[in-house]
Amino acid sequence: MEKQVKTDEDISCIDRWMGILQLHNESDVEARWQQLHKRIVALRFRQNIFRFVRNAAAVLLLPALIALFHVSRQSSALSPVAQIEINAAYGQISQVDLPDGSKVWLNSGSKLTYPQRFTDNTRQVALIGEAYFKVQADKQHRFEVALPDGLIAGAYGTEFNISTYPDDPKAEITLVSGRLAVNIPEIESPCIL
């Protein structure tokens, strides 16, 4: 009886294995290989697209940043610049530090007008009264002082004093050091001090 049971177990085990082998033989290996191949090709395609996008972004990032910086600089250069007006009280001397580093000492009752930042090739201020200027040297940007009677005194880096009060018919310019060009409306070429 024991042998009979053992043989029945062996037969059922063999039967199970035969069923597994039959399923294995029935599966289409070629179709499964085609499915696997399609998945591999699709994965490679996605990886290649990702690499292309990553490399294109890396190449285009620097020019995009440069363009953004250039546009922001242009918009700040085109925006209107606020004018600052300093009035020295009577009996007082006022010191003013300009945006370019130049220094101005305004005498009593004088008025100085200048931009919050210099934007053009010239650094221009307007003066009514008397002031001593110590101009920061800058060979590319001329420093100009516009006076009420149309005179313009210009330099690139020097020290000078200008006195031009509205009730005084004459303007006095005293050069301390350097060179100063004075443009007079009636004269074509500037006078050099």
Side-chain angles (χ1 to χ4, degrees), residues 127-128 145-153 162-166 168-173 182-186:
L127 172 69
I128 297 173
V145 180
L147 306 173
D149 52 1
L151 292 174
I152 296 178
I162 297 178
S163 177
T164 175
Y165 286 99
D168 191 357
K170 63 180 179 176
E172 290 182 21
I173 300 175
V182 180
N183 293 345
I184 303 169
E186 297 84 28

Side-chain angles (χ1 to χ4, degrees), residues 7-142:
T7 322
D8 287 341
E9 285 178 20
D10 288 341
I11 291 175
S12 76
C13 183
I14 290 172
D15 192 36
R16 271 185 290 162
W17 278 107
M18 289 297 285
I20 291 171
L21 286 174
Q22 188 176 4
L23 284 174
H24 188 63
N25 285 338
E26 288 177 4
S27 67
D28 189 4
V29 174
E30 185 64 31
R32 298 237 182 213
W33 173 250
Q34 290 298 327
Q35 287 176 345
L36 180 62
H37 180 68
K38 285 179 184 179
R39 287 171 55 196
I40 291 172
V41 168
L43 180 64
R44 283 187 184 161
F45 179 74
R46 284 193 300 258
Q47 288 175 339
N48 287 340
I49 292 292
F50 174 75
R51 283 188 197 119
F52 175 77
V53 169
R54 181 192 64 202
N55 293 343
V59 168
L60 296 176
L61 181 64
L62 184 61
L65 288 175
I66 291 171
L68 181 64
F69 175 74
H70 182 67
V71 166
S72 68
R73 261 185 81 197
Q74 276 186 335
S75 66
S76 68
L78 296 176
S79 63
V81 178
Q83 294 292 314
I84 298 172
E85 185 176 290
I86 305 292
N87 292 302
Y90 287 99
Q92 302 244 333
I93 294 177
S94 300
Q95 180 183 346
V96 180
D97 292 327
L98 297 177
D100 66 342
S102 299
K103 297 190 181 302
V104 181
W105 289 268
L106 282 176
N107 202 357
S108 173
S110 299
K111 179 172 87 171
L112 181 72
T113 306
Y114 62 95
Q116 187 175 14
R117 70 178 187 280
F118 294 115
T119 57
D120 296 327
N121 290 335
T122 59
R123 304 171 283 167
Q124 190 170 48
V125 299
L127 172 69
I128 297 173
E130 183 176 7
Y132 180 83
F133 293 88
K134 187 174 184 179
V135 177
Q136 183 72 30
D138 185 349
K139 297 290 183 196
Q140 282 78 33
H141 301 94
R142 180 181 162 108

